Amino acid sequence: MENLLRPLIVVGGSVVLTLVIGWATDFLLRKADERHHETPLWGLLRRGRIPYMLVLFAALLRGSYDEADLLPSRDEAIGRTLTLVLIGSTAWLVIRIAAAIVETSYSRYASARAHRDPARVRRVRTQVTLIMRVVSAIVGVVAAATMLLTFPAFRAAGASLLASAGILGIVAGVAAQSTLSNMFAGFQIAFGDMVRIGDTVVVDGEWGTVEEITLTFLTVHTWDERRITMPVSYFTSKPFENWSRGTPQMTGIVFWHVDHSAPVEAMREKLRDILRECPAWDGRAYNLCVTDSTPSTMQVRALVTAKDADDIWTVRVAVREQMLGWLADEHPYALPRVNTADAILPPSRNGNGNGHRPSQDGVPAQQRRYHGNHSSGRPER
């Protein structure tokens, strides 16, 4: 009877104590989270309740397992397994606690500066993300090394491993040269403020938003819902456009090719009216001027502003569309015209010798006038 009750008491007691302590800790964290709404720390710490209970259970069972007298021939193997579980769950808990502290610090910083300096907030967010990845990697490596040291064979081979560490380091450095360069490039991006999470960039002719930055790669979310994954070393070795490097505000350009008789001043006033009715325009500035001229048309350019890249696209397409519609309705003569009249040939090549080529209806081509739809160039007969 004692052989049955002892392991039951040891294992069952460990389970019960783990559940009771875990429930009490979670209850206290929940109450603290309800009382302190200004900080998310207590709510974030609750995410670590599973590794916390694993640490409790492994520690309690590891300390009392010898008293259970269960499977005496397997005591060493079971004890080492519990030790490995304890080390792994401790590393998991440390990562969760570190993530809660870092995320809380970032939330306070972001709430204080989100409206005053959004670019700096994105920079800090990128740095925090990479720092957490480094911390997780370091804790994982330390936990794995600690697990290996629990095996006597690895402790005995420690001296030879240390002696060959220099050679292995050189070989690994040569073999992982590209990986290491990407890793250092990731640190350079994070702390050099070159590109941040949320920045609008143009890389290889693709426009998108930086969605994720790791130590080795960067993901760009394009406007058509694609994801472009690129090595971070690309951004330290090649030029790219960052449209939100300082502030997300942008200036856009809209071009029209119109007839020389187009009413430029009226177009300037119409641009002002269009922008006043466009919610995406931020009201900072606008302008319209003639920038070029050809024998058949002149080029008119409008400058508009918006608070970010998405709004500048909306403003540009709205201005282009409404201005063309207004010209077609109110000033059709201002649209470009294509001359479809017959050319006047020299007398030597003209059939009647008078320098005019008669049309089929008997009216000389040079006497035709343009009316109506000027964009089609149809002459009146």
Side-chain angles (χ1 to χ4, degrees):
M1 187 68 176
E2 183 180 358
N3 295 334
L4 181 61
L5 288 177
R6 181 177 294 180
L8 184 61
I9 292 173
V10 171
V11 178
S14 299
V15 173
V16 172
L17 281 175
T18 299
L19 293 176
V20 171
I21 297 175
W23 177 84
T25 304
D26 186 67
F27 177 78
L28 294 175
L29 291 176
R30 186 168 64 252
K31 289 298 183 181
D33 188 36
E34 293 175 356
R35 287 195 300 267
H36 302 281
H37 297 286
E38 72 280 0
T39 175
L41 176 62
W42 309 110
L44 293 173
L45 286 176
R46 292 187 62 202
R47 297 179 182 178
R49 56 183 176 270
I50 294 179
Y52 175 69
M53 296 178 69
L54 280 176
V55 169
L56 289 176
F57 178 73
L60 291 173
L61 192 58
R62 182 68 181 87
S64 60
Y65 181 76
D66 293 338
E67 303 296 332
D69 196 20
L70 180 66
L71 300 175
S73 60
R74 301 291 182 180
D75 284 350
E76 184 178 357
I78 295 176
R80 182 172 291 116
T81 301
L82 292 175
T83 302
L84 295 177
V85 173
L86 179 60
I87 295 172
S89 56
T90 301
W92 188 6
L93 180 61
V94 169
I95 293 175
R96 286 296 177 88
I97 293 175
I101 296 174
V102 172
E103 188 67 26
T104 301
S105 302
Y106 168 75
S107 298
R108 291 178 177 177
Y109 181 87
S111 60
R113 292 178 173 265
H115 299 289
R116 293 183 298 171
D117 195 356
R120 186 171 180 83
V121 171
R122 293 199 304 272
R123 174 186 177 184
V124 173
R125 181 61 180 174
T126 303
Q127 295 174 353
V128 165
T129 302
L130 291 179
I131 288 173
M132 275 308 305
R133 292 181 184 274
V134 172
V135 170
S136 302
I138 292 175
V139 173
V141 170
V142 172
T146 306
M147 290 179 179
L148 291 177
L149 291 177
T150 60
F151 297 91
F154 285 95
R155 289 200 301 266
S160 59
L161 288 176
L162 290 175
S164 59
I167 299 176
L168 291 177
I170 295 174
V171 173
V174 174
Q177 183 177 1
S178 60
T179 302
L180 291 176
S181 64
N182 279 328
M183 185 176 299
F184 286 117
F187 283 108
Q188 186 176 353
I189 285 177
F191 296 97
D193 199 22
M194 300 172 59
V195 61
R196 299 150 300 196
I197 295 176
D199 278 359
T200 302
V201 296
V202 178
V203 289
D204 285 343
E206 296 287 347
W207 177 90
T209 304
V210 177
E211 186 177 55
E212 182 182 10
I213 299 177
T214 69
L215 290 177
T216 56
F217 67 88
L218 184 148
T219 302
V220 177
H221 184 191
T222 62
W223 64 273
D224 54 355
E225 303 297 330
R226 291 180 294 123
R227 266 75 174 178
I228 302 177
T229 301
M230 311 181 69
V232 292
S233 59
Y234 175 92
F235 293 87
T236 59
S237 59
K238 297 182 180 180
F240 65 94
E241 297 182 29
N242 190 340
W243 289 7
S244 50
R245 174 67 174 80
T247 61
Q249 295 175 344
M250 297 195 66
T251 299
I253 300 175
V254 182
F255 285 105
W256 297 280
H257 290 274
V258 296
D259 191 78
H260 292 94
S261 60
V264 177
E265 188 61 33
M267 292 178 64
R268 192 173 288 117
E269 295 177 359
K270 182 60 179 179
L271 174 64
R272 179 194 58 196
D273 297 338
I274 293 173
L275 292 177
R276 286 177 177 177
E277 298 177 359
C278 182
W281 183 52
D282 61 359
R284 286 190 295 125
Y286 75 94
N287 189 17
L288 187 142
C289 58
V290 178
T291 57
D292 197 5
S293 177
T294 67
S296 58
T297 61
M298 65 179 179
Q299 185 184 70
V300 179
R301 185 195 67 184
L303 293 180
V304 293
T305 60
K307 65 181 179 63
D308 54 31
D310 292 333
D311 282 355
I312 199 64
W313 171 262
T314 303
V315 174
R316 289 175 62 196
V317 297
V319 167
R320 183 183 296 110
E321 178 181 348
Q322 295 184 37
M323 184 66 75
L324 287 176
W326 176 76
L327 288 175
D329 294 337
E330 304 293 335
H331 304 279
Y333 61 88
L335 297 176
R337 291 174 288 181
V338 179
N339 191 349
T340 58
D342 295 333
I344 300 176
L345 299 179
S348 60
R349 300 180 60 184
N350 196 344
N352 55 9
N354 58 5
H356 295 165
R357 173 179 289 181
S359 62
Q360 294 179 357
D361 55 2
V363 180
Q366 66 273 20
Q367 295 181 7
R368 296 178 183 176
R369 294 181 292 110
Y370 290 102
H371 292 282
N373 189 348
H374 294 272
S375 61
S376 62
R378 293 179 180 177
E380 180 187 14
R381 297 203 171 199

